[in-house]
Amino acid sequence: MEATFAVGETHSLELFVGDITRQSTDAIVSAANALLLGGGGVDGAIHKAAGPRLFEACRALKKTLPGGVLAAGGAVLTGGFDLPARFVIHAVGPIYAEHDPARAAELLESCYVQAIGIARREGLASITFPSISTGVYGYPVAAAAEVAVAAVKRALASGGPAVVRFSLFDPDTFAAYHAAAVAVLGAPRAEGA
Ligand code: ADP
């Protein structure tokens, strides 16, 4: 399952069902937790595939953060180590139940905007996101997909990677992002089974 949408003249948004750890875009984004020390879900899979040097890089980076914590809505960059991707951007999504829905949306939007900002500053051509916060963090998928696609569109208006991909782990999550992309960006430019 895949679909490609135009974002303005020069950028594209690609949705597909698959494992983010296999992606060879310049960067992949992890749905990290505030302690940056790995966890379950997509973050655990990324740490496993990147090898122990990613854990060491996170530990070093953590020491530079106030209280050793990356607040929800924040994003930071490390290398990709054993991954096909050169970089990992660690973004901390909101735990849905901890905020009112409007604040949760702001924090989720901030993850995407900050990650694309890092990619822009680093001159990266491509980036792959997972569906941040919709696993253990409990963000309803349809609402998260709308926030994510709108945030990517807004962030790319200031430049950034030409290709933004979403690695979605199951067909229902793909369907939610597809619906959000059609609503925000219009009909897809290409679609595959
Ligand atoms: P969060 O704590 O931000 O909710 P999770 O890792 O629990 O993050 O879930 C976020 C999304 O990532 C979920 O849709 C989950 O199914 C998906 N996911 C889990 N493993 C992978 C993977 N290897 N590649 C892509 N997506 C994944």
Side-chain angles (χ1 to χ4, degrees):
M1 280 175 141
E2 51 188 59
T4 302
F5 297 81
V7 187
E9 298 281 304
T10 49
H11 299 272
S12 64
L13 179 77
E14 301 177 3
L15 310 177
F16 67 99
V17 175
D19 181 353
I20 199 168
T21 65
R22 315 270 300 258
Q23 283 299 297
S24 54
T25 44
D26 290 336
I28 64 170
V29 178
S30 185
N33 62 52
L35 298 177
L36 284 185
L37 291 178
V42 69
D43 195 46
I46 288 171
H47 272 273
K48 190 162 175 234
R53 289 178 296 163
L54 181 62
F55 186 77
E56 287 310 319
C58 285
R59 230 168 45 171
L61 207 158
K62 194 175 153 60
K63 289 188 186 139
T64 70
L65 300 171
V69 165
L70 183 63
V76 292
L77 181 80
T78 66
F81 303 102
D82 296 342
L83 291 166
R86 273 196 293 148
F87 297 103
V88 177
I89 296 173
H90 308 259
V92 180
I95 297 173
Y96 191 69
E98 286 186 355
H99 308 278
D100 70 65
R103 180 67 184 145
E106 282 175 11
L107 294 170
L108 186 61
E109 175 181 19
S110 172
C111 289
Y112 290 101
V113 170
Q114 288 204 25
I116 287 177
I118 290 171
R120 184 189 305 125
R121 285 195 292 282
E122 296 290 330
L124 306 186
S126 56
I127 184 170
T128 307
F129 286 97
S131 176
I132 298 172
S133 278
T134 67
V136 173
Y137 280 9
Y139 208 119
V141 178
E146 279 176 30
V147 170
V149 175
V152 166
K153 182 184 177 191
R154 215 166 11 249
L156 290 179
S158 313
V163 176
V164 175
R165 312 194 84 200
F166 276 88
S167 168
L168 305 163
F169 215 40
D170 59 84
D172 287 350
T173 305
F174 177 89
Y177 278 73
H178 190 282
V182 169
V184 173
L185 301 170
R189 205 168 54 193
E191 260 185 301

